[in-house]
Amino acid sequence: MTTINTAAQTAATTTASTTKTTGSSATTTTNASSAKLTQDYDSFLKLLTTQLQNQDPLSPMESTEFTNQLVQFSQVEQAISQNSKLDKLVGLQNNNQTQASLGFIGLDVEATGNAFTYESKPVKMSYTLPEASTSTRIQIKNEKGVTIQTLDGARTTNRQEVTWDGKKADGSVAEPGTYSMTVIAPKADSKLITAKTTVFGRVSGIEAGNGVTTLMMGKVPVKMEDVINAQLPAAA
C-alpha cells in the first residue's frame, strides 16, 4: 500500500499549504487543490481496485489500512471545503471594510504617522514625548528626506500641536507635495526620545488591493486602524 499512502499524503500536503493562504490567492490555490485531490483520489481508487483484484487470497488486504485510507481522503475533502467557505468569509469581510472606508471620503481625519500632504495651505500635526527632553526640534522633510525647515518644540510630555505654514528655512514657499515630520528630542544623556506623532488631512479617496483597504490623504496612504478621529470639514 505504499503507493496508495503516497497519493493520500500528497493530497493532504497540498491542502495543508492551502490553509496558510488568504485573500484572492487562497481561492486560486483552493481550486487547484480540489483538482489535485480529484486526480489523486482517482489514482488511489485505481490502485486500490488493482490491488484488490490481485491480492493474495491467503493474505488479503487488512481492513484497518483500507479504512484509514478512506478516512484520510475524507478529511482532505472536508479541509478543502472549509477553505472554500473561509475564502467567502474573507471576501465578505473585505467588502465590508471597503464599504466602511467609503464613509471617510471628504472627512478631516487625524491619524498616527508622520507623512502628510501639503497643498499650499498651513498643515497641522502633533507629537507627544514619553518623557521630558532637554530640547525639541521638529524637522520638516521633503520626499527626498531633505530637511527644508526646522521648528522649535516644547520639552514637556504634554501633547503638542504644531502648524507648518509651508515656508522653507530660506523663506520661500514649498511646492505642493508629500512631506514628513521628524521630532528630534534628546534626553540629558544625549539619547534621542521616540515621540508619538500624528498628522491631519482630508481623505480624498480609498485604495483596495490584496484584501486591504487604505484611506488616501492626498498621496499619503493611511490604514483605517491608524485613524484616531474623523470629523466633517469646518464650514468655510
Side-chain angles (χ1 to χ4, degrees), residues 198-226:
T198 68
V199 291
F200 296 76
R202 183 166 299 174
V203 178
S204 55
I206 65 172
E207 287 188 356
N210 296 324
V212 178
T213 302
T214 305
L215 306 178
M216 299 300 299
M217 292 198 308
K219 294 183 179 180
V220 177
V222 176
K223 296 179 180 179
M224 289 185 62
E225 57 264 33
D226 289 336

Side-chain angles (χ1 to χ4, degrees), residues 10-41:
T10 300
T13 301
T14 303
T15 306
S17 63
T18 304
T19 59
K20 297 179 181 179
T21 311
T22 58
S24 59
S25 61
T27 303
T28 303
T29 307
T30 301
N31 292 337
S33 297
S34 299
K36 181 72 167 106
L37 173 64
T38 300
Q39 180 182 356
D40 288 340
Y41 194 75

Side-chain angles (χ1 to χ4, degrees), residues 1-8 40-54 61:
M1 296 291 289
T2 302
T3 305
I4 298 177
N5 281 330
T6 301
D40 288 340
Y41 194 75
D42 289 342
S43 298
F44 165 76
L45 291 178
K46 289 178 181 179
L47 290 169
L48 181 61
T49 301
T50 300
Q51 182 157 339
L52 288 172
Q53 291 173 343
N54 296 277
M61 180 193 306

